[in-house]
Amino acid sequence: VFQLIGSLECYFTNGTEKVRFVERQIYNRQEYLMFDSDVGHYVGFTPYGERNAKRANSNPEWMDDMRTAVDTYCRYNYEVFRPFSVERR
């Protein structure tokens, strides 16, 4: 059995004042590729991940999209999930 997982995560500190976007790629319980908006580029953890990180980092249009995901993905969806997460008692 093979398992491939792609994960998109948003970390919010003090509402939307400090937002961090993280994309993780995992194959068979081993993370091989990660993008962190605080770092600003992809990091590979295996030889396969390093090749993919180099390819993605060399594409300026793709990297612009990933760097703006903090706004287009995290902050945009914050208002949708806020009533269920922040304002919940």
Side-chain angles (χ1 to χ4, degrees):
V1 175
F2 299 102
Q3 186 177 40
L4 178 64
I5 299 171
S7 170
L8 302 176
E9 304 166 3
C10 295
Y11 297 94
F12 298 95
T13 304
N14 197 13
T16 58
E17 186 175 315
K18 172 111 174 76
V19 181
R20 180 177 167 216
F21 172 76
V22 177
E23 176 191 355
R24 299 177 192 277
Q25 297 293 325
I26 301 165
Y27 180 72
N28 281 353
R29 295 183 284 171
Q30 182 179 16
E31 184 175 10
Y32 67 91
L33 183 67
M34 180 182 86
F35 175 83
D36 187 338
S37 63
D38 286 351
V39 176
H41 63 272
Y42 280 93
V43 177
F45 300 109
T46 65
Y48 177 71
E50 290 172 358
R51 285 193 308 270
N52 282 287
K54 184 178 179 181
R55 184 175 45 90
N57 291 334
S58 67
N59 185 341
E61 292 176 3
W62 178 258
M63 292 308 295
D64 285 343
D65 288 344
M66 294 309 295
R67 289 184 185 116
T68 60
V70 168
D71 295 321
T72 59
Y73 182 74
C74 295
R75 286 193 176 106
Y76 178 80
N77 289 310
Y78 180 80
E79 294 301 321
V80 174
F81 294 106
R82 186 174 54 131
F84 304 105
S85 60
V86 177
E87 297 173 0
R88 190 175 183 145
R89 296 199 185 266

